[in-house]
Amino acid sequence: MNLVVMKFGGTSVEDPAAIHRTAAIVAGRVANGRSPVVVVSAMARVTDQLLRAADAASQGDRAGALAISSRLRSRHRDAAAALVKNPADQAALVTLVDQKFDSLDEILRGLAAILELTPRISDLIVSFGERISSRMVTAAFREHGINAVHVDAREIIVTDSQFQKAIPQDDIIDKKAPEKLLPLAREGKVPVMGGFIASNETGLTTTLGRGGSDFTGALVGGALAAKAIEIWTDVDGIMTSDPRVCPDALRVKVISFEEAAELAYFGAKVLHPATILPAVKKNIPVLVLNSKNPRNEGTRIISLAPHCKSPFKSIACKKKLSIIDVVASRMLMTHGYLKAIFDIFDKHQTAVDMVSTSEVSVSLTVDSNDRLPLIAADLSQLADVKYEGKKALICMVGEDIRGQSGMAAQVFAAIRHINVRMISQGASEINMSFMIDEDDADEAVRSLHAAFFQNPDPDIFDVEARKPLLASSS
Ligand code: ASP
Ligand code: MG
C-alpha cells in the first residue's frame, strides 16, 4: 500500500471553496494509486474564537460567549449546506453540526455559572473546532466521490494528562493507529480525522498545543510508516527568504530537518519543527505544499540534506527583539555568574535567543516584551544593565557553514554598510546569526540574498521561478 498522510491546515478548510480544492487534491492522490489518511485542522480562525468564547464565559459574559458560538454555528451550518447537495445527506450534516454546537453551548453556559476555566475545560471547548471540521470534510469528500470515513482522532492519539500541551504516548499510538486505520485503507477507504485533539488514557479530551495538527500528522505518519507526510498550507513551501521583503526569493526544493528547524526557530513560520520529529525519527519525508497552488512541488524536508553547491539554504529574520547588555563592573566573570543571570530570565519566563560574552560583559537578546524593565531591575542587582529595543536577528542557514573558510568574510562584506551589534556562530554548524537594528533588517536580507543566491544550485532551489522574473526585468 502506498500510504500517505495528508494534513490540511485551517486555510485549506476555511470555507466551501477551500474544502472543494482540498477534496480535489485528495481525489487526485487516490487516482494516482495512493492511500491517503487525512488529518484536518479546524476551519481558519475557529480555534482562536473558541478560546475567546471560553474566556468570555469564564468571566461571566454568558451572552458574549454564546454570541461567538452562534456566529461559529452559522459559519459551519452555511458551509455544510454548501458542501453537500443531496438533501438527505445535507440535512444529516447540518443536524450533526447543530448537535455539536448545542453541546458546546451547554458547556459555555456551565462555565459562565462556574466562572472557572480549567485547562481541561479549555481543551474540551477548543476540540469542537476539529471535531466539526473533520465531519464536514468527510461529507464533502464523499460528495467528490472519495470513499471517506470519519475517524475520531481521540481514539488514536492518546496522551498524558497535561491539558493544553499534552504529551503523546508513542507506544500506544504506534499500536492504535495501524489497528484503526490500516484496515480502512486496505478496503480502499480514506480515513479523515481531526488534528490537534487527543485524549488521555481515561478518555478525557486533551490537545497537543496550538498548531498541533502538524504534530498529529507526523504521529500518524510515523505510526503507519507512511511513504510520506504532506503538510498542506497556503504558501509554496520554505523560501530562500521572505518574498515580501525579497521579491526574488526562491522556493527551496529540499532541505534537511535540522535546517528547517533552525529556520522555524528564527522566524520562518511555515511549520514548527518539533512537530515533525516523529516523522524524521522514522526517516519519513515531510512535504510542505500549497493547497492554493497544488501544482507547485513545495519543499521536501528530509533527515539528511543532499549536497548543495550554495553555502546557504535560506535567510530568516526575526524582528521586535531587544538586546540586554550586562556589564559587571565589580565582579569579573566569576563562577556562578552566568547562572545568576539566566536564573533571572527563568524567573521572568523569558527565552533568550542569542548570548555573547566577554570577560566583563554579557549581551543577550530576547523578544521585546513588557517584562523587560523588571528583568533589567533584577539584573541591576548583579551588574550595570542597559537594554535597547528595535533590534532584528538575521539567521543564515546552510549545511556545513563552519567547514567553509571565508564564509564570515563574505557574509559581512555583503552587509558592510550595516552596523552589526552581536554575532553568533558555532552553536550550530548550520547557522550563522547576527543582530542589527530593525530598520536595517530588510535591506540586510536583500543584500545577503543578492550576494548568496546569484547562481543558486538548480538541484536545491526552484530556479525556474526566477526565469520569468529575469525576462520581465530585462
Ligand atoms: N486548530 C489548532 C490551532 O489553531 C491546531 C492547528 O490548526 O494546527 O492551533
Ligand atoms: Mg499550523
Side-chain angles (χ1 to χ4, degrees), residues 3-229:
L3 267 176
V4 52
V5 172
M6 305 176 76
K7 179 262 166 175
F8 292 90
T11 53
S12 300
V13 295
E14 66 187 341
D15 53 27
I19 296 176
H20 283 309
R21 275 197 302 272
T22 292
I25 291 166
V26 173
R29 286 286 186 278
V30 175
N32 282 331
R34 295 247 162 160
S35 302
V37 171
V38 175
V39 174
V40 295
S41 288
M43 295 171 92
R45 299 173 303 281
V46 167
T47 305
D48 287 332
Q49 284 158 11
L50 288 168
L51 287 170
R52 282 226 316 281
D55 216 50
S58 71
Q59 287 170 31
D61 182 7
R62 185 172 182 269
L66 292 173
I68 296 172
S69 166
S70 149
R71 281 195 296 274
L72 286 173
R73 185 193 292 249
S74 306
R75 181 175 166 201
H76 284 83
R77 265 177 140 259
D78 292 351
L83 284 167
V84 180
K85 290 282 166 286
N86 172 302
D89 293 346
Q90 189 191 84
L93 183 62
V94 172
T95 304
L96 193 131
V97 168
D98 271 331
Q99 281 166 352
K100 296 273 189 253
F101 277 100
D102 291 345
S103 342
L104 173 65
D105 288 352
E106 211 170 305
I107 298 166
L108 290 173
R109 282 191 208 100
L111 185 54
I114 297 167
L115 302 175
E116 191 196 347
L117 181 57
T118 60
R120 174 175 152 186
I121 297 301
S122 175
D123 273 357
L124 181 61
I125 291 173
V126 282
S127 73
F128 281 90
E130 271 75 8
R131 279 157 66 193
I132 302 171
S133 69
S134 56
R135 292 282 188 171
M136 296 197 342
V137 168
T138 308
F141 280 11
R142 299 184 69 84
E143 284 284 305
H144 278 254
I146 301 166
N147 192 0
V149 278
H150 182 260
V151 173
D152 191 335
R154 295 171 296 178
E155 290 174 10
I156 294 176
I157 309 297
V158 176
T159 65
D160 68 5
S161 298
Q162 290 181 57
F163 296 96
Q164 295 183 312
K165 219 168 179 29
I167 312 282
Q169 310 289 292
D170 293 341
D171 42 338
I172 304 181
I173 297 168
D174 284 348
K175 231 178 104 240
K176 293 214 174 209
E179 222 169 75
K180 303 238 177 226
L181 300 170
L182 287 184
L184 297 171
R186 271 195 211 101
E187 288 166 33
K189 293 180 176 151
V190 174
V192 177
M193 55 192 272
F196 173 59
I197 58 174
S199 74
N200 70 4
E201 284 182 77
T202 57
L204 293 170
T205 300
T206 60
T207 66
L208 303 177
R210 291 308 305 270
S213 292
D214 296 340
F215 201 2
T216 306
L219 287 166
V220 172
L224 297 179
K227 291 263 162 47
I229 295 166

